[in-house]
Amino acid sequence: MGELISASNLQKSFGSLRAVHGVNLRVNAGEVVGFLGPNGAGKTTTMRILTGFLDPNDGVVLLNGISIAEDPIGARRTFGYLPEGAPAYPDMTVREYLHFIARARGMPRRDIATAVEGVATRVHLRGVLDQVIETLSKGFKRRVGIAQAIIHDPPILIMDEPTDGLDPNQKHEVRELIRTMGSTKAIVLSTHILEEVEAVCTRAIVIANGRVVFDGTPSEFEAKAPSSVTRNRMDHVFRVMTGSGVEAST
Amino acid sequence: MIASGAMSPWRTILRREFRSYFATPLAAVFLVVFLFSSGIFAFSLGGLYERGQADLRSFFQFVPWLYLFLAPAISMRLWAEERRLGTIEILTTLPVPIWHAVVGKFLAAWLFSILALALTAPLWITVSWLGDPDQGAIIAGYIAAALVAGIFLAIGGFVSAITKNQVIAFIVAIVACFLVLLSGFPLVLNFFRGWMGSGAIDAIASVSVLTHFNSLMRGVIELRDLVYFASGIVGALVATALVVDWRKSA
């Protein structure tokens, strides 16, 4: 299966702060990559560079072979994106919003109603389709964000904390959805939850201080823990790789 | 390239924006304030009746002053709101060229202010019924008023693109529009006269909205004036697109 995401040597500084420092990333179709890292490690910045929302100081991003810098519109057609916090227009109904996204993505008008119904079924939004977004609970808003990211069935999915704010049942549903889509798409998601990586990801990438400190399967990640550690082994590895001494001891 | 049957992106954005005015009480408040105050100005201050002439000069002469406050009230949210909500991250990662978003938003705001203007038609009808006004002058007056709204909204949209604070966007836009409105008048010119050459002073004087507005109001639609408004609007929109693209993540 082809390489859908290719990012080489990404660099990004904000003033004197080096947010992303030489990140490389290759993701093939059929892979679900989990981005792990403490807050402020550079996960969101990296995802924003992948989607072209931020311009890197250096480095190249190719999405399905298209350069985001040279052909931004062509590259943006290849992915769906759930930004941090799942922003949406609060004064629109879910249906109006999804129609707007589908239209802006150039979907033929006759296909839009079907696509909206289909995606609403997949992420369990049917009951709130005609509700105004600002009246929705956090979990529903997150699902609206996921719906707008997958409505056009893109080959690439980039999701910043897709399960944040969901209750355990909703988390389970979203993970199932991601796992299903992961068989054919290239998916990158970020999370704080280590068990999530185990549950849905085929690969884990750990970022700390803007650098990739681990890239491998979740089981390889867990195997890094010494055999003396018997409980929360992933947490242990994560703390050793990313944490300062203070954080590791708390 | 847009799939057949798809709406071009600027129209999609125009539609969403235009509807959003009516999703909140903003539209109603704006229209009521506009109609009420234009009526008061025309009758009380302008002496529409007392002048005993069947024309709308007493109405039109206050329109630039009304728009000075009301256009920034519309334009302040254009981009600042997208930044505050975070939806700018969705908008700028959709496969839509930035100028489509800029033009779509501007046209929505402009159409809305033209709608407000159109609702003053009863004045026109009354005057035409009571007397025999110079219809050409009235049409020229409406065109001039619409152009003033356009240039103020384009300037206000630019200001809105540089901040996420709508109050700042509102106040700075009023100041900017005020300077452009009166740049041909001693109040503004004297400020620059101390430290600028006469060539620069003439250049500043020639960008006065009021000068061109009054020229159109005489009932003669001159190319010079149309070029002035068109280039002012286009210039502000280009600047907006550059700022949005440059500071989209700011």
Side-chain angles (χ1 to χ4, degrees):
Chain A
M1 288 202 234
E3 185 175 274
L4 288 177
I5 302 176
S6 154
S8 322
N9 190 33
L10 301 182
Q11 309 275 353
K12 182 70 188 177
S13 301
F14 299 105
S16 60
L17 176 79
R18 290 190 114 167
V20 172
H21 190 34
V23 167
N24 291 291
L25 183 68
R26 311 246 171 286
V27 187
N28 295 319
E31 278 193 295
V32 180
V33 172
F35 256 20
L36 290 166
N39 288 329
K43 301 189 296 285
T44 295
T45 304
T46 305
M47 294 181 129
R48 285 179 168 171
I49 293 171
L50 292 180
T51 57
F53 183 61
L54 274 179
D55 297 324
N57 300 120
D58 199 10
V60 177
V61 175
L62 298 177
L63 300 172
N64 203 11
I66 304 168
S67 159
I68 191 97
E70 282 162 27
D71 180 8
I73 303 299
R76 286 182 212 162
R77 284 206 182 88
T78 64
F79 65 79
Y81 178 35
L82 171 68
E84 185 181 33
Y89 296 109
D91 54 13
M92 299 178 99
T93 67
V94 175
R95 192 190 302 276
E96 284 168 351
Y97 180 60
L98 293 177
H99 269 259
F100 165 71
I101 295 287
R103 258 188 238 116
R105 288 200 165 277
M107 210 179 260
R109 217 176 298 185
R110 63 181 177 280
D111 299 344
I112 291 179
T114 323
V116 168
E117 292 291 331
V119 81
T121 308
R122 293 187 80 182
V123 298
H124 305 280
L125 282 172
R126 292 190 72 97
V128 296
L129 266 177
D130 294 303
Q131 213 166 309
V132 177
I133 291 175
E134 69 184 338
T135 65
L136 297 177
S137 69
K138 205 176 169 193
F140 272 120
K141 281 181 186 160
R142 182 79 29 170
R143 282 187 270 171
V144 171
I146 295 171
Q148 64 79 28
I150 64 174
I151 190 165
H152 53 303
D153 195 21
I156 298 171
L157 255 184
I158 298 169
M159 296 191 280
D160 204 342
E161 303 195 340
T163 60
D164 187 44
L166 300 183
D167 67 34
N169 295 332
Q170 296 166 337
K171 276 193 175 115
H172 177 74
E173 282 166 15
V174 168
R175 285 174 191 164
E176 286 297 312
L177 178 70
I178 292 171
R179 229 197 323 248
T180 316
M181 293 189 299
S183 58
T184 52
K185 298 179 193 300
I187 301 181
V188 177
L189 59 91
S190 72
T191 179
H192 292 294
I193 310 162
L194 296 175
E195 56 175 86
E196 190 153 290
V197 174
E198 216 170 4
V200 298
C201 299
T202 59
R203 230 167 93 202
I205 290 181
V206 182
I207 299 190
N209 299 318
R211 292 174 191 274
V212 173
V213 294
F214 175 84
D215 184 348
T217 66
S219 42
E220 282 166 0
F221 183 70
E222 192 177 358
K224 292 254 174 196
S227 52
S228 59
V229 179
T230 51
R231 291 176 56 228
N232 298 330
R233 288 168 57 83
M234 282 183 129
D235 288 32
H236 178 86
V237 182
F238 182 80
R239 278 199 301 271
V240 171
M241 278 183 178
T242 64
S244 63
V246 181
E247 274 171 347
S249 64
T250 51
Chain B
M1 188 190 69
I2 311 243
S4 63
M7 201 185 256
S8 79
W10 66 265
R11 285 182 55 199
T12 302
I13 288 166
L14 189 164
R15 220 169 98 134
R16 197 207 75 74
E17 286 289 326
F18 192 77
R19 283 176 156 200
S20 77
Y21 293 118
F22 297 92
T24 61
L26 181 82
V29 170
F30 181 89
L31 293 174
V32 168
V33 170
F34 181 83
L35 294 174
F36 202 72
S37 43
S38 64
I40 288 177
F41 281 135
F43 286 98
S44 308
L45 292 171
L48 189 81
Y49 274 139
E50 291 79 357
R51 290 176 72 227
Q53 286 183 26
D55 65 26
L56 288 180
R57 284 199 74 86
S58 50
F59 160 63
F60 285 125
Q61 63 179 325
F62 294 107
V63 164
W65 299 98
L66 265 180
Y67 275 140
L68 177 62
F69 293 95
L70 293 177
I74 303 177
S75 65
M76 65 180 188
R77 48 181 291 291
L78 283 178
W79 294 98
E81 175 91 337
E82 297 269 357
R83 276 191 212 289
R84 191 180 62 80
L85 293 171
T87 44
I88 190 147
E89 198 164 351
I90 302 261
L91 187 63
T92 56
T93 54
L94 287 170
V96 173
I98 209 89
W99 68 267
H100 277 256
V102 171
V103 169
K105 277 172 172 285
F106 166 73
L107 287 180
W110 201 13
L111 274 182
F112 182 69
S113 64
I114 288 172
L115 171 73
L117 205 53
L119 292 178
T120 64
L123 267 184
W124 185 2
I125 294 166
T126 309
V127 169
S128 302
W129 186 52
L130 291 175
D132 183 22
D134 178 353
Q135 300 292 350
I138 291 179
I139 291 168
Y142 272 112
I143 291 174
L147 288 172
V148 170
I151 202 162
F152 283 179
L153 289 169
I155 292 170
F158 170 74
V159 174
S160 174
I162 52 186
T163 175
K164 71 168 86 170
N165 185 321
Q166 296 196 25
V167 178
I168 293 176
F170 178 65
I171 292 168
V172 174
I174 290 176
V175 173
C177 291
F178 183 75
L179 289 177
V180 175
L181 181 66
L182 286 185
S183 65
F185 291 74
L187 179 71
V188 174
L189 288 183
N190 287 341
F191 173 74
F192 291 106
R193 198 154 272 148
W195 44 283
M196 278 184 165
S198 63
I201 298 290
D202 287 347
I204 292 170
S206 72
V207 299
S208 166
V209 164
L210 212 51
T211 312
H212 291 275
F213 177 77
N214 289 334
S215 154
L216 283 174
M217 281 272 291
R218 282 198 295 271
V220 188
I221 298 186
E222 278 193 65
L223 187 65
R224 200 165 50 99
D225 300 316
L226 294 182
V227 167
Y228 162 79
F229 281 106
S231 52
I233 290 169
V234 170
L237 293 185
V238 169
T240 307
L242 291 174
V243 167
V244 171
D245 194 42
W246 174 51
R247 305 191 62 224
K248 56 192 169 194
S249 59

